[in-house]
Amino acid sequence: MVNNSKCRFVPTKRMSGKILTFCIHLVCISLLFVVPEVLASLSRRNVSATFSFAPYFKSIIWVSAFYISYCLTTDPTSGRRSDVVKFIIQDLLILIGATLAMYFFWEYMRPAFKGSSHPGAIAGIHAPKRHYGLSASFIMRDAVVTILTLGLALSLKIARKLRAMEKSRRESLAREREAELQHLKAQLNPHFLFNTLNSIYVLTDIDPVKAKDAIHRLSKMLRYMLYENQGSVILGDEIRFLESYVELMRLRLSPSFITDIRFNAGDCENNPIAPVLFINILENAFKHGTRSSATGPLLIHLTAAGGTVTLRTANPYDPALSPAENGGIGLANLRRRLELQYPGRHSLDVEMAAGSYNVTLTIDISTPPVMSPNPDISL
């Protein structure tokens, strides 16, 4: 069966970049070489129609020399001496070819000048005894412009190589950063499971019904951690995940244990944020607070406003039962994730005062977390 639908041409991103590069090249060549020559030609009077074509002919020569050098010559930035020698020889051949084209053009044009048999008439110069000197001067001038055109091609070729190297470096760093983030998240999952399963284990003897409900909650949380938090999530979803975790931890707390837990997304509920970012702090708060003999409530406050989210926890802390640490591997992973995804946009303070363990985390979430570099267009 024949498909009669019309095929529409959709330019790709790579093709759009090449078109933009081509336009930038033409603008550079035109502003530096073509436009001055055309303006100079328009300012001359009493020249033949043949001579009026001269600037456009030379423009074609310069544009051709530029693109032959830019696209077809050997890359001199490869680091091999043989490639540098090949490039020099190829550019010399381009220069000689362009100069010969200019020479034959001048020789063809010369009889067409009004009132003179040499190109010097265009500048109002009296005819000398030998016109070849003036022809040579014009050809030398155009050869110098050709050299400048080849220099521009070389400069852009070097710039293209440097941009490609920089892009490759950034992509490599991005891959390393992504691999490190995945490694940190892979460490987080077993750490989270270890602490949560310990809590459920305690419930199995105390209240099997609560233990069953805890396992159901845990399955939902694991689904969120493994499948629903790729890249970034909105703050509202992250808060709902934290609320589920708090409810899971409360199942094993005695009624007399005092908690002060508040979550308020404010005007930042739909702001993107790195997933599973606060769970380590909550884990430490429950771990230290529930096994400490010190008195005092377990406080967890998360507030957000104006593109900034702040999590503050305070819990009882007994150095005799909890070693002097800054949160163990969980908090160490959190610090590293913050450095990678919120560089210069966060602060994390941990304070172990007498009988109290306090953590304050502030993050600027007005812009999404750092994930990967933006693509560039190589010239």
Side-chain angles (χ1 to χ4, degrees):
M1 183 175 181
V2 180
N3 186 4
N4 294 323
S5 61
K6 295 183 178 179
C7 296
R8 293 186 300 172
F9 175 74
V10 179
T12 62
K13 190 173 184 180
R14 182 180 180 87
M15 184 174 297
S16 300
K18 289 184 177 181
I19 293 174
L20 177 59
T21 300
F22 177 76
C23 293
I24 293 174
H25 290 170
L26 287 184
V27 169
C28 291
I29 297 173
S30 299
L31 291 179
L32 292 176
F33 307 125
V34 178
V35 172
E37 189 71 22
V38 173
L39 292 178
S41 175
L42 294 176
S43 65
R44 299 182 182 117
R45 298 179 180 179
N46 301 323
V47 295
S48 66
T50 304
F51 182 73
S52 63
F53 177 71
Y56 306 102
F57 175 80
K58 290 189 287 187
S59 300
I60 294 173
I61 294 295
W62 290 328
V63 170
S64 301
F66 173 86
Y67 276 107
I68 292 173
S69 178
Y70 183 80
C71 300
L72 302 181
T73 57
T74 305
D75 183 10
T77 63
S78 62
R80 294 188 292 269
R81 182 178 299 179
S82 59
D83 289 342
V84 176
V85 174
K86 289 180 182 178
F87 173 78
I88 294 175
I89 294 174
Q90 290 165 351
D91 262 20
L92 284 176
L93 292 176
I94 295 172
L95 175 61
I96 293 172
T99 304
L100 289 175
M102 299 288 185
Y103 172 78
F104 287 116
F105 181 73
W106 279 114
E107 289 300 311
Y108 165 76
M109 246 178 41
R110 185 164 46 82
F113 296 140
K114 290 185 178 180
S116 176
S117 60
H118 63 87
I122 65 173
I125 302 175
H126 296 291
K129 294 180 180 180
R130 297 179 62 187
H131 63 270
Y132 294 103
L134 286 175
S135 297
S137 66
F138 278 92
I139 293 171
M140 289 299 296
R141 183 202 65 175
D142 293 338
V144 170
V145 177
T146 304
I147 293 174
L148 295 176
T149 305
L150 297 177
L152 175 64
L154 175 61
S155 300
L156 292 178
K157 185 175 268 191
I158 293 175
R160 180 183 63 181
K161 182 63 174 289
L162 292 177
R163 288 172 64 88
M165 292 173 60
E166 177 63 18
K167 183 179 179 181
S168 176
R169 185 187 69 84
R170 282 191 303 222
E171 289 178 347
S172 176
L173 290 176
R175 286 192 294 269
E176 292 177 4
R177 180 170 59 242
E178 183 63 23
E180 185 174 1
L181 285 173
Q182 292 299 328
H183 176 67
L184 293 174
K185 290 175 69 176
Q187 287 183 319
L188 171 65
N189 292 340
H191 185 266
F192 168 81
L193 278 175
F194 176 77
N195 291 335
T196 307
L197 289 175
N198 277 342
S199 300
I200 296 176
Y201 175 76
V202 174
L203 284 176
T204 56
D205 291 331
I206 301 175
D207 193 335
V209 176
K210 285 187 176 181
K212 184 178 180 180
D213 181 60
I215 293 173
H216 180 65
R217 286 181 178 272
L218 177 61
S219 66
K220 290 184 177 180
M221 295 173 66
L222 288 177
R223 184 181 299 110
Y224 173 82
M225 295 179 66
L226 297 176
Y227 303 112
E228 299 178 10
N229 63 359
Q230 301 300 319
S232 64
V233 296
I234 62 173
L235 181 60
D237 288 344
E238 187 71 6
I239 287 179
R240 283 184 281 275
F241 169 74
L242 297 178
E243 289 173 340
S244 296
Y245 177 78
V246 169
E247 292 301 319
L248 186 61
M249 294 296 102
R250 276 176 168 166
L251 292 176
R252 67 183 183 88
L253 297 179
S254 65
S256 61
F257 192 85
I258 302 174
T259 61
D260 180 9
I261 301 175
R262 307 175 198 170
F263 297 103
N264 183 9
D267 59 355
C268 301
E269 183 173 1
N270 294 318
N271 283 40
I273 189 171
V276 198
L277 201 59
F278 305 110
I279 191 66
N280 287 324
I281 298 178
L282 269 65
E283 283 182 308
N284 287 331
F286 278 99
K287 179 177 70 174
H288 292 301
T290 55
R291 72 183 182 185
S292 173
S293 60
T295 60
L298 171 62
L299 181 146
I300 299 175
H301 287 176
L302 188 148
T303 58
T308 300
V309 59
T310 301
L311 174 64
R312 186 166 66 92
T313 65
N315 57 270
Y317 176 72
D318 188 352
L321 299 177
S322 300
E325 58 182 17
N326 285 333
I329 188 174
L331 205 54
N333 283 0
L334 174 60
R335 291 183 186 277
R336 183 55 182 159
R337 288 188 65 192
L338 290 171
E339 291 174 3
L340 291 172
Q341 297 189 282
Y342 293 96
R345 294 194 286 148
H346 74 276
S347 64
L348 177 60
D349 299 319
V350 179
E351 180 184 1
M352 289 178 286
S356 179
Y357 188 96
N358 305 315
V359 178
T360 302
L361 171 62
T362 302
I363 307 175
D364 177 7
I365 61 172
S366 57
T367 55
V370 176
M371 298 302 297
S372 60
N374 296 325
D376 291 328
I377 298 175
S378 297
L379 294 180

